[in-house]
Amino acid sequence: MPVSSGIVSHDRRSLIMPQEKWAEPRRVMHSLLSGTALQQYGEWQEIESTQMMAEYLLKPHLWYRHHYRYANSVIHRIAFGERLVKSTKELEDMQNCVTFFVGSIGSSVVDWFPELARLPKFLQLWRLYWKPLGDWNYNVYHSWWDPIRRQVEGGTAKPSFVRDVLLSPETKYTGNDEDAMYVALQLIEAGSDTTREALNIMVMAALEYPDVFRKARAHVDRVCGTGPDARLPRLRDMDQLGYICAMAKEILRWRPIFVVTPDHTATKDFEFEGYHFPEGTGFVINEVPVGAECERPDDFDPDRWMDGHETDITHGLWQFGGGRRICVGYRLAQRSLFINIARL
């Protein structure tokens, strides 16, 4: 996608990189899926979730901001090793990086007909609109990246993905400093904005379908107790609270965050159901009709996921993509949704 991947992302966002460039950033991000990492991150998720519960009580009218603070703080701590201390303006800029980037995907006819990018640059009039956005995004990234890079170089950085994986000599990451910056910052982008949006959708579902949430409350009470002996749900309760896991899947099916996934590209000619697809054909998942392939698709009904696979958020659900390029953070996202749905 010459606009969203090239101009807006300086050819460095792995989400929409071609396969040969994607493999190296994916390799270093793969550590996020390990059991040891998930256990460590889980402690941070529970701590930040506890703060979010307090924020709900103290400032209920800012509930949507609490979702963003939670999500951003967790992923910031994972990536950079420290709790989030950013101004409102800095947070807004980072949120807008996501919003503008996602909004750029497929917005230009050039992304659907990439051959147009072979025109001489003086004929590429679309660059006048998109290049300032790409440069602004680049500068925002640097304002977040430069301090943590200096800490790593100075030996003062705390344990984190950037210190212990991305910039560790043992990892042997082959990208340059700007490649590393995009790996770290797109991790923060993806980990903060999607969780925030999913929690917002959860609130909408709670208002529209209160009976579902009464049922969920009964499941939580049965596991975590009531009255003086009640306790907060923990991540270790996931296997016992399959209905809460099913709610997370239903949230993503009911109101898909990504309406159209970034395209996968055929690496060779092939035939399918009487059609011929040449090498280079792009394929996207149209999430809304795919999610509607069920009974009563307009209803918010977690029971549709109670099939023995409710604790696997990717089983039967395409919101994280699929295949080798499935979202590397899907387990982390599932755990954030679970702990906050259960506690709220």
Side-chain angles (χ1 to χ4, degrees), residues 167 246 268 335:
L167 298 184
K268 60 183 179 180
R335 290 155 77 87

Side-chain angles (χ1 to χ4, degrees), residues 42-180:
E43 296 176 8
W44 296 341
Q45 287 174 300
E46 290 186 346
I47 290 170
E48 297 296 345
S49 174
T50 301
Q51 178 170 334
M52 194 178 92
M53 300 306 111
E55 291 168 340
Y56 252 83
L57 292 174
L58 295 171
K59 297 181 179 180
H61 59 292
L62 297 178
W63 57 274
Y64 53 93
R65 289 190 184 176
H66 307 329
H67 294 168
Y68 187 61
R69 188 219 58 83
Y70 163 83
N72 205 308
S73 192
V74 166
I75 201 64
H76 189 274
R77 193 165 182 172
I78 291 170
F80 290 170
E82 57 189 14
R83 295 202 71 202
L84 185 67
V85 182
K86 295 289 184 181
S87 68
T88 300
K89 176 65 165 55
E90 288 173 315
L91 289 174
E92 288 177 351
D93 283 346
M94 181 54 63
Q95 188 171 345
N96 283 333
C97 283
V98 187
T99 303
F100 297 153
F101 162 61
V102 173
S104 74
I105 296 176
S107 293
S108 169
V109 69
V110 184
D111 276 352
W112 297 105
F113 297 95
E115 293 80 6
L116 292 171
R118 297 174 183 173
L119 290 170
K121 277 195 175 180
F122 71 89
L123 292 177
Q124 297 182 24
L125 301 181
W126 57 86
R127 298 183 68 89
L128 297 174
Y129 176 80
W130 292 109
K131 188 176 185 301
L133 176 58
D135 292 344
W136 172 83
N137 191 151
Y138 175 84
N139 291 331
V140 171
Y141 270 22
H142 260 296
S143 70
W144 286 56
W145 171 251
D146 291 346
I148 185 64
R149 185 196 59 206
R150 287 194 294 266
Q151 290 176 24
V152 173
E153 291 172 348
T156 61
K158 297 178 181 178
S160 68
F161 168 75
V162 168
R163 191 197 78 171
D164 302 327
V165 179
L166 188 58
L167 298 184
S168 171
E170 296 179 3
T171 304
K172 298 180 181 178
Y173 175 58
T174 60
N176 60 27
D177 183 68
E178 292 189 352
D179 294 327

Side-chain angles (χ1 to χ4, degrees), residues 45-339:
Q45 287 174 300
E46 290 186 346
I47 290 170
E48 297 296 345
S49 174
T50 301
Q51 178 170 334
M52 194 178 92
M53 300 306 111
E55 291 168 340
Y56 252 83
L57 292 174
L58 295 171
K59 297 181 179 180
H61 59 292
L62 297 178
W63 57 274
Y64 53 93
R65 289 190 184 176
H66 307 329
H67 294 168
Y68 187 61
R69 188 219 58 83
Y70 163 83
N72 205 308
S73 192
V74 166
I75 201 64
H76 189 274
R77 193 165 182 172
I78 291 170
F80 290 170
E82 57 189 14
R83 295 202 71 202
L84 185 67
V85 182
K86 295 289 184 181
S87 68
T88 300
K89 176 65 165 55
E90 288 173 315
L91 289 174
E92 288 177 351
D93 283 346
M94 181 54 63
Q95 188 171 345
N96 283 333
C97 283
V98 187
T99 303
F100 297 153
F101 162 61
V102 173
S104 74
I105 296 176
S107 293
S108 169
V109 69
V110 184
D111 276 352
W112 297 105
F113 297 95
E115 293 80 6
L116 292 171
R118 297 174 183 173
L119 290 170
K121 277 195 175 180
F122 71 89
L123 292 177
Q124 297 182 24
L125 301 181
W126 57 86
R127 298 183 68 89
L128 297 174
Y129 176 80
W130 292 109
K131 188 176 185 301
L133 176 58
D135 292 344
W136 172 83
N137 191 151
Y138 175 84
N139 291 331
V140 171
Y141 270 22
H142 260 296
S143 70
W144 286 56
W145 171 251
D146 291 346
I148 185 64
R149 185 196 59 206
R150 287 194 294 266
Q151 290 176 24
V152 173
E153 291 172 348
T156 61
K158 297 178 181 178
S160 68
F161 168 75
V162 168
R163 191 197 78 171
D164 302 327
V165 179
L166 188 58
L167 298 184
S168 171
E170 296 179 3
T171 304
K172 298 180 181 178
Y173 175 58
T174 60
N176 60 27
D177 183 68
E178 292 189 352
D179 294 327
M181 176 180 74
Y182 271 83
V183 170
L185 270 298
Q186 69 179 340
L187 178 64
I188 288 180
E189 276 186 343
S192 57
D193 209 57
T194 50
T195 299
R196 168 190 70 88
E197 291 183 13
L199 290 174
N200 289 353
I201 294 166
M202 180 207 68
V203 172
M204 178 166 65
L207 295 171
E208 291 292 318
Y209 295 89
D211 288 345
V212 170
F213 283 77
R214 292 189 186 99
K215 182 175 180 178
R217 174 61 184 269
H219 280 265
V220 172
D221 286 348
R222 188 159 54 247
V223 172
C224 301
T226 58
D229 297 326
R231 63 171 176 82
L232 279 177
R234 304 289 299 273
L235 287 170
R236 64 171 181 258
D237 298 319
M238 284 183 68
D239 289 340
Q240 293 180 275
L241 288 172
Y243 191 75
I244 304 299
C245 296
M247 290 178 71
K249 297 180 76 168
E250 182 68 349
I251 285 167
L252 297 176
R253 181 209 67 83
W254 186 57
R255 292 293 186 272
I257 294 172
F258 294 105
V259 177
V260 176
T261 60
D263 62 341
H264 290 224
T265 306
T267 56
K268 60 183 179 180
D269 295 3
F270 71 98
E271 305 285 334
F272 181 75
E273 294 188 352
Y275 292 92
H276 174 74
F277 297 97
E279 176 186 348
T281 303
F283 296 85
V284 300
I285 300 173
N286 193 345
E287 294 282 0
V288 175
V290 169
E293 288 281 329
C294 59
E295 295 183 6
R296 308 181 317 280
D298 293 335
D299 291 348
F300 183 84
D301 181 13
D303 278 307
R304 71 175 84 248
W305 298 103
M306 298 296 288
D307 55 3
H309 299 286
E310 56 272 9
T311 58
D312 179 358
I313 200 165
T314 63
H315 188 274
L317 185 71
W318 291 92
Q319 271 291 289
F320 295 96
R324 293 180 61 201
R325 295 186 67 140
I326 193 169
C327 171
V328 73
Y330 71 87
R331 290 177 182 164
L332 191 68
Q334 178 183 22
R335 290 155 77 87
S336 274
L337 293 180
F338 170 83
I339 194 66

